[in-house]
Amino acid sequence: MGKRRAARVPPPALPPTLHGALPDVTLDLHGLYTSQAALRVEALLETWARRQPGAVLRIVTGKGNRSAEGPVLLGAVEEILRADPRVGELVLDAGGGCWLVRVR
């Protein structure tokens, strides 16, 4: 008779984070004016909050490295997202050029 193996205990489940989530959609705002970007972000949030609550969105703003005035869209989009009640979670992507958003 062989040795009895101890039962494996699964590791505790970590809470899902946005950094590990696959985005359902990506919106690229490169080359847009702030007003144009704001309209597109609003439309994206409206659509996905209605279509699939809990969806993860990636909103690419760029880092602003080539802008003469420095990063503009990154901060403007952050303000829009933080003020919107449809945004459940918000985190800056590890690369720093896009936002990851979970809609409510």
Side-chain angles (χ1 to χ4, degrees):
M1 194 185 271
K3 288 186 176 181
R4 184 177 280 217
R5 291 185 181 175
R8 284 191 175 179
V9 177
L14 297 174
T17 65
L18 288 176
H19 286 293
L22 292 175
D24 294 291
V25 67
T26 298
L27 174 65
D28 191 348
L29 302 174
H30 278 107
L32 297 180
Y33 291 106
T34 306
S35 59
Q36 294 169 322
L39 291 173
R40 292 203 182 170
V41 169
E42 290 288 335
L44 182 77
L45 291 172
E46 168 97 19
T47 300
W48 282 89
R50 191 171 1 104
R51 178 186 294 174
Q52 185 181 340
V56 176
L57 316 176
R58 177 186 289 140
I59 302 174
V60 180
T61 60
K63 295 180 186 179
N65 292 338
R66 295 188 204 125
S67 297
E69 309 86 36
V72 176
L73 285 181
L74 191 66
V77 170
E78 179 183 14
E79 287 179 25
I80 293 166
L81 294 172
R82 291 207 185 274
D84 198 303
R86 296 171 289 203
V87 174
E89 286 182 76
L90 173 66
V91 67
L92 187 62
D93 189 50
C98 66
W99 293 101
L100 295 171
V101 179
R102 188 179 315 270
V103 294
R104 293 184 185 172

Coordinates of all heavy atoms in Angstrom, one line a residue:
M1 N 0.8 -1.2 0.0 CA 0.0 0.0 0.0 C 0.9 1.2 0.0 O 1.9 1.3 0.7 CB -0.9 0.0 1.2 CG -2.0 1.0 1.1 SD -3.0 1.1 2.6 CE -4.2 -0.1 2.4
G2 N 0.5 2.2 -0.8 CA 1.3 3.5 -1.0 C 1.0 4.5 0.1 O 0.1 4.3 0.9
K3 N 1.8 5.5 0.1 CA 1.6 6.6 1.1 C 0.4 7.4 0.7 O 0.2 7.6 -0.5 CB 2.8 7.5 1.2 CG 4.0 6.9 1.9 CD 5.1 7.9 2.0 CE 6.2 7.4 2.8 NZ 7.3 8.4 2.9
R4 N -0.3 7.8 1.7 CA -1.4 8.7 1.4 C -0.9 10.1 1.2 O -0.2 10.6 2.1 CB -2.4 8.6 2.5 CG -3.7 9.4 2.3 CD -4.6 9.2 3.5 NE -5.3 7.9 3.3 CZ -6.6 7.8 3.6 NH1 -7.2 8.7 4.1 NH2 -7.2 6.6 3.4
R5 N -1.4 10.8 0.2 CA -1.0 12.2 0.0 C -1.9 13.1 0.7 O -3.1 12.9 0.8 CB -1.0 12.5 -1.5 CG 0.0 11.8 -2.3 CD 0.0 12.3 -3.7 NE 1.0 11.6 -4.5 CZ 1.2 11.7 -5.8 NH1 0.4 12.5 -6.5 NH2 2.1 11.0 -6.4
A6 N -1.3 14.2 1.2 CA -2.1 15.2 1.9 C -3.0 15.9 0.9 O -2.5 16.2 -0.3 CB -1.2 16.2 2.6
A7 N -4.2 16.2 1.2 CA -5.1 17.0 0.3 C -4.5 18.4 0.1 O -4.0 19.0 1.0 CB -6.4 17.1 1.0
R8 N -4.6 18.8 -1.2 CA -4.1 20.1 -1.5 C -5.1 21.1 -1.1 O -6.3 21.0 -1.4 CB -3.8 20.2 -3.0 CG -2.6 19.5 -3.5 CD -2.3 19.9 -4.9 NE -1.1 19.3 -5.3 CZ -0.6 19.4 -6.5 NH1 -1.2 20.1 -7.4 NH2 0.6 18.9 -6.7
V9 N -4.6 22.1 -0.5 CA -5.5 23.3 -0.1 C -5.2 24.4 -1.1 O -4.1 24.8 -1.3 CB -5.2 23.8 1.3 CG1 -6.0 25.0 1.7 CG2 -5.3 22.6 2.3
P10 N -6.3 24.8 -1.9 CA -6.0 25.9 -2.9 C -5.6 27.1 -2.2 O -6.1 27.4 -1.0 CB -7.4 26.0 -3.5 CG -8.4 25.4 -2.6 CD -7.7 24.4 -1.8
P11 N -4.8 27.9 -2.8 CA -4.4 29.2 -2.2 C -5.6 30.1 -2.1 O -6.5 30.0 -2.9 CB -3.3 29.8 -3.2 CG -3.6 29.1 -4.5 CD -4.2 27.7 -4.1
P12 N -5.6 31.0 -1.2 CA -6.7 31.9 -1.0 C -6.8 32.8 -2.3 O -5.9 33.2 -2.9 CB -6.4 32.8 0.2 CG -4.9 32.6 0.4 CD -4.5 31.3 -0.2
A13 N -8.1 33.0 -2.7 CA -8.3 33.8 -3.9 C -8.0 35.2 -3.7 O -8.5 35.8 -2.7 CB -9.7 33.6 -4.4
L14 N -7.2 35.8 -4.5 CA -6.9 37.2 -4.4 C -8.1 38.0 -5.1 O -8.6 37.6 -6.1 CB -5.6 37.6 -5.1 CG -4.4 36.9 -4.5 CD1 -3.2 37.2 -5.4 CD2 -4.2 37.4 -3.1
P15 N -8.4 39.2 -4.5 CA -9.4 40.0 -5.2 C -9.0 40.4 -6.6 O -7.8 40.7 -6.8 CB -9.6 41.2 -4.3 CG -8.4 41.2 -3.4 CD -7.8 39.8 -3.4
P16 N -9.8 40.3 -7.6 CA -9.4 40.6 -8.9 C -9.1 42.1 -9.0 O -9.8 43.0 -8.4 CB -10.6 40.3 -9.8 CG -11.8 40.2 -8.8 CD -11.2 39.9 -7.5
T17 N -8.0 42.4 -9.7 CA -7.6 43.8 -9.8 C -7.7 44.2 -11.3 O -7.8 43.3 -12.2 CB -6.1 44.0 -9.4 OG1 -5.3 43.3 -10.2 CG2 -5.9 43.6 -7.9
L18 N -7.7 45.4 -11.6 CA -7.8 45.9 -12.9 C -6.5 45.6 -13.7 O -6.5 45.4 -14.9 CB -8.1 47.4 -13.0 CG -9.5 47.8 -12.6 CD1 -9.7 49.3 -12.6 CD2 -10.5 47.1 -13.6
H19 N -5.4 45.6 -13.0 CA -4.1 45.3 -13.7 C -4.1 43.9 -14.3 O -3.4 43.7 -15.3 CB -2.9 45.5 -12.8 CG -2.6 46.9 -12.5 ND1 -2.2 47.8 -13.4 CD2 -2.7 47.6 -11.3 CE1 -2.0 49.0 -12.9 NE2 -2.4 48.9 -11.6
G20 N -4.8 43.0 -13.7 CA -4.8 41.6 -14.2 C -6.0 41.3 -15.2 O -6.0 40.2 -15.8
A21 N -6.9 42.2 -15.3 CA -8.1 42.0 -16.1 C -7.8 42.3 -17.6 O -7.1 43.2 -17.9 CB -9.2 42.9 -15.6
L22 N -8.5 41.5 -18.4 CA -8.5 41.8 -19.8 C -9.5 42.8 -20.2 O -10.7 42.6 -19.8 CB -8.7 40.5 -20.6 CG -7.6 39.4 -20.5 CD1 -8.1 38.1 -21.3 CD2 -6.3 39.9 -21.1
P23 N -9.2 43.8 -20.9 CA -10.2 44.9 -21.2 C -11.2 44.3 -22.2 O -10.8 43.6 -23.1 CB -9.3 46.0 -21.8 CG -8.0 45.5 -22.0 CD -7.8 44.2 -21.3
D24 N -12.4 44.8 -22.0 CA -13.5 44.4 -23.0 C -13.4 45.3 -24.2 O -13.8 44.9 -25.3 CB -14.8 44.6 -22.3 CG -15.0 43.5 -21.2 OD1 -15.1 42.3 -21.5 OD2 -15.0 43.9 -20.0
V25 N -12.9 46.5 -24.1 CA -12.8 47.4 -25.2 C -11.6 48.4 -24.9 O -11.3 48.7 -23.7 CB -14.1 48.2 -25.4 CG1 -14.4 49.1 -24.2 CG2 -14.1 49.0 -26.7
T26 N -11.0 48.9 -26.0 CA -10.0 49.9 -25.9 C -10.3 51.1 -26.7 O -10.8 51.0 -27.8 CB -8.6 49.3 -26.4 OG1 -8.2 48.2 -25.6 CG2 -7.5 50.4 -26.3
L27 N -10.2 52.3 -26.1 CA -10.5 53.5 -26.7 C -9.1 54.3 -26.8 O -8.5 54.6 -25.8 CB -11.5 54.4 -26.0 CG -11.8 55.8 -26.5 CD1 -12.4 55.7 -27.8 CD2 -12.7 56.5 -25.5
D28 N -8.7 54.6 -28.0 CA -7.4 55.3 -28.2 C -7.7 56.8 -28.5 O -8.4 57.1 -29.5 CB -6.6 54.7 -29.4 CG -5.2 55.2 -29.4 OD1 -4.9 56.2 -28.8 OD2 -4.4 54.6 -30.2
L29 N -7.2 57.7 -27.7 CA -7.5 59.1 -27.8 C -6.3 59.9 -28.4 O -6.4 61.1 -28.4 CB -7.9 59.7 -26.4 CG -9.1 59.0 -25.8 CD1 -9.3 59.6 -24.3 CD2 -10.3 59.2 -26.6
H30 N -5.3 59.2 -28.8 CA -4.1 59.9 -29.4 C -4.5 60.9 -30.5 O -5.4 60.5 -31.3 CB -3.1 58.9 -30.0 CG -2.3 58.2 -29.0 ND1 -2.4 56.9 -28.6 CD2 -1.2 58.7 -28.3 CE1 -1.5 56.6 -27.8 NE2 -0.7 57.7 -27.5
G31 N -4.0 62.1 -30.4 CA -4.2 63.0 -31.5 C -5.5 63.8 -31.4 O -5.8 64.7 -32.2
L32 N -6.3 63.6 -30.4 CA -7.6 64.3 -30.2 C -7.4 65.5 -29.3 O -6.5 65.6 -28.4 CB -8.6 63.4 -29.6 CG -9.1 62.2 -30.4 CD1 -10.1 61.4 -29.6 CD2 -9.6 62.6 -31.8
Y33 N -8.2 66.5 -29.5 CA -8.3 67.7 -28.6 C -9.0 67.2 -27.4 O -9.8 66.2 -27.4 CB -9.1 68.8 -29.3 CG -8.3 69.5 -30.4 CD1 -8.7 69.2 -31.7 CD2 -7.2 70.3 -30.2 CE1 -8.0 69.8 -32.8 CE2 -6.5 70.8 -31.2 CZ -6.9 70.6 -32.5 OH -6.2 71.2 -33.6
T34 N -8.9 68.0 -26.3 CA -9.5 67.6 -25.0 C -11.0 67.5 -25.1 O -11.6 66.6 -24.6 CB -9.1 68.6 -23.9 OG1 -7.6 68.7 -23.9 CG2 -9.6 68.2 -22.6
S35 N -11.6 68.4 -25.8 CA -13.1 68.4 -26.0 C -13.5 67.2 -26.8 O -14.6 66.6 -26.4 CB -13.5 69.7 -26.7 OG -12.9 69.8 -28.0
Q36 N -12.8 66.8 -27.8 CA -13.2 65.6 -28.5 C -13.0 64.4 -27.7 O -13.8 63.5 -27.7 CB -12.3 65.5 -29.8 CG -12.5 66.6 -30.8 CD -11.4 66.5 -31.9 OE1 -10.2 66.2 -31.6 NE2 -11.8 66.8 -33.1
A37 N -11.9 64.3 -26.9 CA -11.7 63.2 -26.1 C -12.7 63.0 -25.0 O -13.2 61.9 -24.7 CB -10.3 63.3 -25.4
A38 N -13.2 64.2 -24.5 CA -14.2 64.1 -23.4 C -15.5 63.6 -24.0 O -16.2 62.7 -23.3 CB -14.4 65.6 -22.9
L39 N -15.9 63.9 -25.2 CA -17.1 63.4 -25.8 C -17.0 61.9 -26.0 O -18.0 61.2 -25.8 CB -17.4 64.1 -27.1 CG -17.8 65.6 -27.0 CD1 -17.9 66.2 -28.4 CD2 -19.1 65.7 -26.3
R40 N -15.9 61.4 -26.4 CA -15.7 60.0 -26.7 C -15.7 59.2 -25.4 O -16.2 58.1 -25.4 CB -14.4 59.8 -27.5 CG -14.5 60.3 -28.9 CD -13.6 59.7 -29.8 NE -13.8 60.3 -31.2 CZ -13.0 60.0 -32.1 NH1 -12.0 59.2 -32.0 NH2 -13.1 60.6 -33.3
V41 N -15.1 59.7 -24.4 CA -15.1 59.0 -23.1 C -16.5 59.0 -22.5 O -16.9 57.9 -22.0 CB -14.1 59.7 -22.1 CG1 -14.3 59.2 -20.7 CG2 -12.7 59.6 -22.5
E42 N -17.2 60.0 -22.6 CA -18.6 60.0 -22.1 C -19.4 59.0 -22.9 O -20.2 58.3 -22.3 CB -19.2 61.4 -22.3 CG -18.7 62.5 -21.4 CD -19.1 62.3 -19.9 OE1 -20.2 61.7 -19.7 OE2 -18.4 62.7 -19.0
A43 N -19.3 59.0 -24.2 CA -20.1 58.0 -25.0 C -19.7 56.6 -24.6 O -20.5 55.7 -24.6 CB -19.8 58.3 -26.5
L44 N -18.4 56.3 -24.4 CA -17.9 55.0 -24.1 C -18.5 54.5 -22.7 O -19.0 53.4 -22.6 CB -16.4 55.0 -24.0 CG -15.7 53.6 -23.7 CD1 -15.8 52.7 -24.9 CD2 -14.3 53.8 -23.2
L45 N -18.5 55.4 -21.7 CA -19.0 55.1 -20.4 C -20.5 54.8 -20.5 O -21.0 53.9 -19.9 CB -18.7 56.2 -19.4 CG -17.2 56.4 -19.0 CD1 -17.1 57.6 -18.2 CD2 -16.7 55.2 -18.3
E46 N -21.2 55.7 -21.2 CA -22.7 55.5 -21.4 C -23.0 54.1 -22.0 O -23.8 53.4 -21.5 CB -23.2 56.6 -22.3 CG -24.6 56.4 -22.8 CD -25.6 57.2 -21.9 OE1 -25.2 58.1 -21.2 OE2 -26.8 56.8 -22.0
T47 N -22.3 53.8 -23.1 CA -22.6 52.5 -23.8 C -22.3 51.3 -22.9 O -23.1 50.4 -22.8 CB -21.7 52.5 -25.1 OG1 -22.1 53.6 -25.9 CG2 -22.0 51.2 -25.8
W48 N -21.1 51.3 -22.3 CA -20.7 50.1 -21.6 C -21.3 49.9 -20.2 O -21.5 48.8 -19.7 CB -19.2 50.0 -21.5 CG -18.6 49.5 -22.8 CD1 -18.3 50.3 -23.9 CD2 -18.4 48.2 -23.2 NE1 -17.9 49.5 -24.9 CE2 -18.0 48.2 -24.5 CE3 -18.6 47.0 -22.6 CZ2 -17.7 47.0 -25.2 CZ3 -18.3 45.8 -23.3 CH2 -17.9 45.9 -24.6
A49 N -21.7 51.0 -19.6 CA -22.4 50.9 -18.3 C -23.8 50.3 -18.6 O -24.3 49.6 -17.7 CB -22.5 52.3 -17.7
R50 N -24.4 50.6 -19.7 CA -25.7 50.1 -20.1 C -25.6 48.7 -20.6 O -26.3 47.8 -20.2 CB -26.3 51.0 -21.1 CG -27.8 50.7 -21.4 CD -28.5 51.7 -22.3 NE -27.7 52.8 -22.8 CZ -27.2 52.9 -24.0 NH1 -27.4 52.0 -24.9 NH2 -26.5 53.9 -24.4
R51 N -24.6 48.4 -21.4 CA -24.4 47.2 -22.1 C -23.9 46.1 -21.2 O -24.5 44.9 -21.2 CB -23.4 47.3 -23.2 CG -23.2 46.0 -24.0 CD -22.1 46.1 -25.0 NE -22.5 47.0 -26.1 CZ -21.7 47.4 -27.0 NH1 -20.4 47.0 -27.1 NH2 -22.1 48.2 -28.0
Q52 N -22.9 46.4 -20.4 CA -22.3 45.3 -19.6 C -21.7 45.9 -18.3 O -20.5 46.2 -18.2 CB -21.2 44.6 -20.4 CG -20.6 43.4 -19.7 CD -19.5 42.8 -20.5 OE1 -19.4 43.0 -21.7 NE2 -18.6 42.0 -19.9
P53 N -22.5 46.1 -17.2 CA -21.9 46.5 -16.0 C -20.8 45.6 -15.5 O -20.9 44.4 -15.6 CB -23.1 46.5 -15.0 CG -24.3 46.6 -15.9 CD -23.9 45.9 -17.2
G54 N -19.7 46.2 -15.0 CA -18.6 45.4 -14.6 C -17.5 45.2 -15.7 O -16.5 44.6 -15.4
A55 N -17.8 45.7 -16.9 CA -16.8 45.6 -18.0 C -15.6 46.5 -17.6 O -15.6 47.5 -16.9 CB -17.5 46.1 -19.3
V56 N -14.5 46.0 -18.2 CA -13.2 46.7 -18.0 C -12.9 47.4 -19.3 O -12.9 46.8 -20.4 CB -12.1 45.7 -17.6 CG1 -10.7 46.5 -17.6 CG2 -12.4 45.0 -16.3
L57 N -12.6 48.7 -19.2 CA -12.3 49.6 -20.4 C -10.9 50.0 -20.3 O -10.4 50.4 -19.2 CB -13.2 50.8 -20.4 CG -14.7 50.6 -20.1 CD1 -15.4 51.9 -20.1 CD2 -15.3 49.6 -21.1
R58 N -10.2 50.1 -21.4 CA -8.8 50.7 -21.4 C -9.0 51.9 -22.2 O -9.4 51.9 -23.4 CB -7.8 49.7 -22.1 CG -6.5 50.4 -22.2 CD -5.5 49.6 -23.0 NE -5.1 48.4 -22.2 CZ -4.9 47.2 -22.7 NH1 -5.1 47.0 -24.0 NH2 -4.6 46.2 -21.9
I59 N -8.6 53.1 -21.6 CA -8.7 54.4 -22.3 C -7.2 54.9 -22.5 O -6.6 55.2 -21.5 CB -9.5 55.3 -21.5 CG1 -10.9 54.8 -21.4 CG2 -9.6 56.7 -22.2 CD1 -11.9 55.6 -20.5
V60 N -6.8 54.9 -23.7 CA -5.4 55.2 -24.0 C -5.3 56.7 -24.3 O -6.0 57.3 -25.2 CB -4.9 54.5 -25.3 CG1 -3.4 54.8 -25.6 CG2 -5.0 53.0 -25.1
T61 N -4.5 57.4 -23.5 CA -4.3 58.8 -23.6 C -2.9 59.2 -24.1 O -2.7 60.2 -24.6 CB -4.5 59.6 -22.3 OG1 -3.6 59.0 -21.3 CG2 -5.9 59.4 -21.7
G62 N -2.0 58.3 -23.9 CA -0.6 58.6 -24.1 C 0.0 59.3 -22.9 O -0.7 59.7 -22.0
K63 N 1.3 59.3 -22.9 CA 2.0 59.9 -21.7 C 2.2 61.4 -21.9 O 2.6 62.1 -21.0 CB 3.4 59.3 -21.5 CG 3.3 57.8 -21.1 CD 4.7 57.3 -21.0 CE 4.6 55.8 -20.7 NZ 6.0 55.2 -20.6
G64 N 2.1 61.9 -23.1 CA 2.3 63.3 -23.4 C 3.7 63.7 -23.6 O 4.1 64.9 -23.5
N65 N 4.6 62.7 -24.0 CA 6.0 63.0 -24.2 C 6.3 63.9 -25.3 O 7.3 64.6 -25.3 CB 6.7 61.6 -24.4 CG 6.8 60.8 -23.1 OD1 6.6 61.3 -22.0 ND2 7.0 59.5 -23.3
R66 N 5.4 63.9 -26.4 CA 5.7 64.7 -27.6 C 4.9 66.0 -27.6 O 5.0 66.7 -28.5 CB 5.3 63.8 -28.8 CG 6.2 62.6 -29.0 CD 6.0 61.9 -30.3 NE 6.4 60.6 -30.1 CZ 5.7 59.5 -30.4 NH1 4.5 59.7 -30.8 NH2 6.1 58.3 -30.2
S67 N 4.1 66.2 -26.5 CA 3.4 67.5 -26.4 C 4.3 68.6 -26.0 O 5.1 68.4 -25.0 CB 2.2 67.3 -25.5 OG 1.3 66.4 -25.9
A68 N 4.2 69.7 -26.6 CA 5.0 70.9 -26.2 C 4.6 71.4 -24.8 O 5.5 71.8 -24.0 CB 4.8 72.0 -27.2
E69 N 3.3 71.3 -24.4 CA 2.9 71.7 -23.1 C 2.9 70.6 -22.0 O 2.5 70.8 -20.9 CB 1.4 72.2 -23.2 CG 1.1 73.2 -24.2 CD 0.8 72.5 -25.6 OE1 0.2 71.5 -25.6 OE2 1.2 73.1 -26.6
G70 N 3.4 69.4 -22.4 CA 3.4 68.3 -21.5 C 2.1 67.5 -21.6 O 1.2 67.8 -22.5
P71 N 1.9 66.5 -20.8 CA 0.6 65.7 -20.8 C -0.6 66.5 -20.6 O -0.7 67.2 -19.6 CB 0.8 64.6 -19.8 CG 1.9 65.1 -18.9 CD 2.7 66.1 -19.7
V72 N -1.6 66.4 -21.5 CA -2.8 67.2 -21.4 C -4.0 66.2 -21.2 O -4.7 66.3 -20.2 CB -3.1 68.0 -22.6 CG1 -4.4 68.7 -22.5 CG2 -2.0 69.1 -22.8
L73 N -4.1 65.2 -22.1 CA -5.2 64.3 -22.0 C -5.2 63.4 -20.8 O -6.3 63.1 -20.3 CB -5.2 63.4 -23.3 CG -5.6 64.0 -24.6 CD1 -5.6 63.0 -25.7 CD2 -7.0 64.5 -24.4
L74 N -4.0 63.0 -20.3 CA -4.0 62.1 -19.2 C -4.7 62.7 -18.0 O -5.5 62.1 -17.4 CB -2.5 61.8 -18.8 CG -2.2 60.7 -17.8 CD1 -2.6 59.4 -18.4 CD2 -0.7 60.7 -17.4
G75 N -4.4 64.0 -17.6 CA -5.1 64.6 -16.5 C -6.5 65.0 -16.8 O -7.4 64.8 -15.9
A76 N -6.8 65.4 -18.0 CA -8.2 65.7 -18.4 C -9.1 64.5 -18.3 O -10.2 64.6 -17.8 CB -8.3 66.4 -19.8
V77 N -8.7 63.4 -18.8 CA -9.5 62.2 -18.8 C -9.6 61.7 -17.3 O -10.7 61.2 -16.9 CB -8.8 61.1 -19.7 CG1 -9.5 59.7 -19.5 CG2 -8.9 61.5 -21.1
E78 N -8.6 61.8 -16.5 CA -8.7 61.5 -15.1 C -9.8 62.2 -14.4 O -10.6 61.7 -13.7 CB -7.4 61.7 -14.4 CG -7.4 61.3 -12.9 CD -6.2 61.6 -12.2 OE1 -5.3 62.3 -12.7 OE2 -6.0 61.0 -11.0
E79 N -9.8 63.5 -14.7 CA -10.9 64.4 -14.0 C -12.3 63.9 -14.5 O -13.2 63.8 -13.6 CB -10.7 65.8 -14.4 CG -9.6 66.5 -13.8 CD -9.4 68.0 -14.2 OE1 -10.4 68.6 -14.6 OE2 -8.3 68.5 -14.1
I80 N -12.5 63.6 -15.7 CA -13.8 63.1 -16.2 C -14.1 61.8 -15.5 O -15.3 61.6 -15.1 CB -13.7 62.9 -17.7 CG1 -13.6 64.3 -18.4 CG2 -15.0 62.2 -18.2 CD1 -13.2 64.2 -19.9
L81 N -13.2 60.9 -15.5 CA -13.5 59.6 -14.9 C -13.7 59.6 -13.4 O -14.6 58.9 -12.9 CB -12.3 58.6 -15.2 CG -12.1 58.3 -16.7 CD1 -10.8 57.5 -16.9 CD2 -13.3 57.6 -17.3
R82 N -13.0 60.4 -12.7 CA -13.2 60.5 -11.2 C -14.5 61.1 -10.9 O -15.1 60.8 -9.9 CB -12.1 61.3 -10.6 CG -10.7 60.5 -10.6 CD -9.8 60.9 -9.5 NE -8.5 60.2 -9.7 CZ -8.3 59.0 -9.2 NH1 -9.2 58.3 -8.6 NH2 -7.1 58.4 -9.4
A83 N -15.0 62.0 -11.8 CA -16.3 62.7 -11.5 C -17.5 61.9 -11.9 O -18.6 62.2 -11.6 CB -16.3 64.0 -12.2
D84 N -17.3 60.8 -12.7 CA -18.4 60.1 -13.3 C -18.9 59.0 -12.4 O -18.1 58.2 -12.0 CB -18.0 59.5 -14.6 CG -19.2 59.1 -15.5 OD1 -20.0 58.3 -15.0 OD2 -19.3 59.6 -16.6
P85 N -20.2 59.0 -12.0 CA -20.7 57.9 -11.1 C -20.8 56.5 -11.7 O -20.9 55.6 -11.0 CB -22.1 58.4 -10.8 CG -22.5 59.3 -11.9 CD -21.2 59.9 -12.4
R86 N -20.6 56.4 -13.0 CA -20.6 55.1 -13.7 C -19.3 54.4 -13.5 O -19.2 53.2 -13.9 CB -21.0 55.3 -15.2 CG -22.4 55.8 -15.4 CD -22.6 56.1 -16.8 NE -21.8 57.3 -17.2 CZ -22.0 58.1 -18.2 NH1 -23.0 57.9 -19.0 NH2 -21.3 59.2 -18.4
V87 N -18.3 55.1 -13.1 CA -16.9 54.5 -12.9 C -16.9 53.9 -11.5 O -17.0 54.5 -10.5 CB -15.8 55.6 -13.0 CG1 -14.5 55.0 -12.7 CG2 -15.8 56.1 -14.5
G88 N -16.7 52.5 -11.5 CA -16.5 51.8 -10.2 C -15.1 51.8 -9.7 O -14.9 52.1 -8.6
E89 N -14.2 51.4 -10.6 CA -12.8 51.4 -10.2 C -12.0 52.2 -11.3 O -12.4 52.2 -12.5 CB -12.2 50.0 -10.2 CG -12.6 49.1 -9.0 CD -12.0 47.8 -9.2 OE1 -10.8 47.6 -8.9 OE2 -12.7 46.8 -9.5
L90 N -10.9 52.7 -10.9 CA -10.0 53.5 -11.8 C -8.6 53.3 -11.4 O -8.3 53.5 -10.2 CB -10.4 55.0 -11.8 CG -9.6 55.9 -12.6 CD1 -9.6 55.7 -14.1 CD2 -10.0 57.4 -12.3
V91 N -7.7 53.0 -12.3 CA -6.3 52.8 -12.0 C -5.5 53.2 -13.3 O -5.9 52.9 -14.4 CB -6.0 51.4 -11.5 CG1 -6.2 50.4 -12.6 CG2 -4.6 51.3 -11.0
L92 N -4.4 53.8 -13.1 CA -3.5 54.2 -14.2 C -2.7 52.9 -14.5 O -2.2 52.2 -13.6 CB -2.5 55.3 -13.7 CG -1.6 55.8 -14.8 CD1 -2.4 56.5 -15.9 CD2 -0.6 56.8 -14.2
D93 N -2.6 52.6 -15.8 CA -1.9 51.4 -16.2 C -0.5 51.5 -15.8 O 0.1 52.5 -15.7 CB -2.1 51.2 -17.7 CG -1.6 49.9 -18.2 OD1 -2.0 48.8 -17.6 OD2 -0.8 49.8 -19.2
A94 N 0.2 50.3 -15.7 CA 1.6 50.3 -15.3 C 2.5 51.1 -16.2 O 3.5 51.6 -15.7 CB 2.0 48.8 -15.2
G95 N 2.2 51.1 -17.5 CA 3.0 51.9 -18.4 C 2.8 53.4 -18.3 O 3.6 54.2 -18.7
G96 N 1.7 53.8 -17.7 CA 1.4 55.2 -17.5 C 0.8 56.0 -18.6 O 0.5 57.2 -18.4
G97 N 0.4 55.3 -19.7 CA -0.2 56.0 -20.8 C -1.7 55.7 -21.0 O -2.2 56.1 -22.0
C98 N -2.3 55.0 -20.1 CA -3.7 54.7 -20.3 C -4.3 54.4 -18.9 O -3.7 54.1 -17.9 CB -3.9 53.5 -21.2 SG -3.3 52.0 -20.7
W99 N -5.6 54.6 -18.9 CA -6.5 54.3 -17.7 C -7.2 53.0 -17.9 O -7.7 52.7 -19.0 CB -7.5 55.4 -17.5 CG -6.8 56.7 -17.1 CD1 -6.6 57.8 -18.0 CD2 -6.3 57.1 -15.9 NE1 -6.0 58.8 -17.3 CE2 -5.8 58.4 -16.0 CE3 -6.3 56.5 -14.6 CZ2 -5.2 59.1 -14.9 CZ3 -5.7 57.1 -13.6 CH2 -5.2 58.4 -13.7
L100 N -7.3 52.2 -16.8 CA -8.1 51.0 -16.8 C -9.3 51.4 -15.9 O -9.2 51.9 -14.8 CB -7.3 49.9 -16.2 CG -6.2 49.4 -17.0 CD1 -5.3 48.4 -16.3 CD2 -6.6 48.9 -18.3
V101 N -10.5 51.1 -16.4 CA -11.7 51.5 -15.7 C -12.7 50.3 -15.7 O -12.8 49.6 -16.6 CB -12.4 52.6 -16.5 CG1 -13.7 53.0 -15.9 CG2 -11.5 53.8 -16.7
R102 N -13.3 50.1 -14.5 CA -14.4 49.1 -14.4 C -15.7 49.9 -14.2 O -15.8 50.7 -13.3 CB -14.2 48.2 -13.2 CG -15.2 47.0 -13.2 CD -15.0 46.1 -12.1 NE -13.7 45.6 -11.8 CZ -13.1 44.6 -12.4 NH1 -13.7 43.8 -13.2 NH2 -11.8 44.3 -12.1
V103 N -16.6 49.7 -15.1 CA -17.9 50.5 -15.1 C -18.9 49.8 -14.1 O -18.8 48.6 -13.9 CB -18.5 50.7 -16.5 CG1 -17.6 51.6 -17.3 CG2 -18.8 49.4 -17.1
R104 N -19.8 50.6 -13.6 CA -20.8 50.0 -12.7 C -22.0 49.7 -13.5 O -22.3 50.2 -14.5 CB -21.2 51.1 -11.7 CG -20.1 51.4 -10.7 CD -20.6 52.3 -9.7 NE -19.5 52.7 -8.8 CZ -19.5 53.6 -7.9 NH1 -20.5 54.3 -7.7 NH2 -18.4 53.8 -7.2

